[in-house]
Amino acid sequence: MRHYYGFNSKEAKEALKKHDERLGDIVKILKEEKMHDNSTIIVLGDHSSLDEDKIININVLLRENRYINVDTNGKIIDYRAIGKNCDGSTYIYTKNNNKELISQIYNLIDKFNQEHNCIEAIYTNLEAKKLGADPDCALMLEANKGYYFLDNVTGKVIDEVKPDEVGQVPHITRSTHGYSPFKKDYTTVFLIAGKGIEEGIILDEMKLVDEGPTMARLLGLDLKDTEGRIIEEFLNMNKR
């Protein structure tokens, strides 16, 4: 709902109320079936989102500077560098790891951003890998608040989100998310209660990759060499 109607929209709030009602129904059934005391209930999200009204078509910039070649129908026939969007972020790939080429692309995007201030960060390959992003990218871009990326190679580099296209034209949205974990108010939720859980514990920070190992421990399993840690602070094995 937030993608199509906005983060704080009436439709998004109504959807949250429906989820709350469904959760209440689950708890009610667990109690009626005498299963509640032996159950652990988890509510989680995978990401938050931010409202946006502008699109960055970074491939248009690359095409205009001859890093992407298209035919008369606007279809890509060859490229030296190309962007692949992840909504609020985008990866830049090159056909090889030519440092001079990557430096040219970095400088091109940096100069463009100095004029338009639409990109929050330009990450190098090393910086992107440290964040856990695609190790094969040449660069990774994170959009400023209010912007997100698409892969169009024709049209404007920066375009407006047209309200009548939201939900009608593929990938046109009012709210989305990128890769960066550093934006303000860009967090999601992890709520856990019931069997095996210590009450009243609040953590300021955890990672999505911590969820699997923690839930596995509750089930008496060990995921072994997976990324992430078991959130021991939540657990009270005496309540198992």
Side-chain angles (χ1 to χ4, degrees):
M1 288 296 178
R2 283 176 168 166
H3 281 299
Y4 293 132
Y5 295 101
F7 188 87
N8 290 310
S9 64
K10 174 176 68 69
E11 291 83 358
K13 291 177 181 178
E14 288 175 350
L16 287 174
K17 288 180 180 178
K18 288 181 180 178
H19 284 309
D20 185 61
E21 291 170 0
R22 293 185 183 110
L23 180 58
D25 290 340
I26 291 171
V27 172
K28 180 182 177 182
I29 292 298
L30 288 173
K31 289 181 177 179
E32 289 176 353
E33 298 298 322
K34 312 298 183 186
M35 298 170 63
H36 183 264
D37 291 345
N38 291 316
S39 299
T40 306
I41 299 173
I42 303 173
V43 177
L44 57 86
D46 61 342
H47 56 74
S48 185
S49 64
L50 296 169
D51 289 340
E52 93 285 297
D53 57 13
K54 294 183 180 65
I55 299 164
I56 306 171
N57 293 305
I58 203 69
N59 283 335
V60 174
L61 179 67
L62 295 174
R63 178 186 59 78
E64 289 176 348
N65 287 271
R66 300 185 179 180
Y67 293 103
I68 296 176
N69 296 321
V70 300
D71 62 18
T72 55
N73 295 315
K75 292 186 177 182
I76 297 172
I77 55 177
D78 193 20
Y79 70 90
R80 289 187 290 153
I82 195 166
K84 180 66 185 77
N85 88 82
C86 300
D87 300 316
S89 60
T90 197
Y91 290 116
I92 303 295
Y93 297 98
T94 57
K95 278 199 168 180
N96 55 58
N97 293 321
N98 185 296
K99 292 182 179 180
E100 182 179 349
L101 172 61
I102 294 172
S103 178
Q104 290 175 8
I105 301 300
Y106 186 103
N107 291 334
L108 171 67
I109 295 171
D110 184 50
K111 181 179 178 181
F112 173 81
N113 193 45
Q114 289 178 30
E115 180 181 353
H116 296 279
N117 192 31
C118 57
I119 297 171
E120 179 184 274
I122 306 173
Y123 295 104
T124 64
N125 167 267
L126 182 59
E127 291 169 332
K129 285 195 288 189
K130 286 182 177 179
L131 289 172
D134 187 354
D136 293 326
C137 71
L139 302 168
M140 184 177 75
L141 316 180
E142 183 73 23
N144 259 335
K145 189 174 181 179
Y147 295 84
Y148 77 111
F149 294 95
L150 288 181
D151 294 337
N152 300 321
V153 293
T154 59
K156 302 176 182 178
V157 182
I158 296 181
D159 206 353
E160 301 285 334
V161 173
K162 300 175 180 61
D164 60 331
E165 292 183 351
V166 176
Q168 303 300 316
V169 176
H171 312 301
I172 303 296
T173 62
R174 293 181 187 272
S175 179
T176 193
H177 56 89
Y179 194 90
S180 170
F182 305 119
K183 285 186 173 70
K184 184 180 178 181
D185 300 325
Y186 207 30
T187 56
T188 187
V189 299
F190 184 87
L191 307 175
I192 186 168
K195 187 173 183 181
I197 303 303
E198 189 67 55
E199 295 182 5
I201 301 299
I202 299 175
L203 294 185
D204 292 331
E205 180 180 301
M206 63 177 288
K207 299 178 180 180
L208 295 178
V209 292
D210 299 333
E211 294 172 353
T214 303
M215 289 186 278
R217 170 64 67 84
L218 283 167
L219 294 169
L221 303 174
D222 183 359
L223 296 185
K224 297 191 182 297
D225 297 327
T226 56
E227 190 175 356
R229 73 179 184 94
I230 298 169
I231 308 297
E232 301 283 358
E233 299 93 322
F234 288 155
L235 306 183
N236 182 344
M237 291 305 153
N238 293 326
K239 294 178 65 176
R240 292 185 65 187

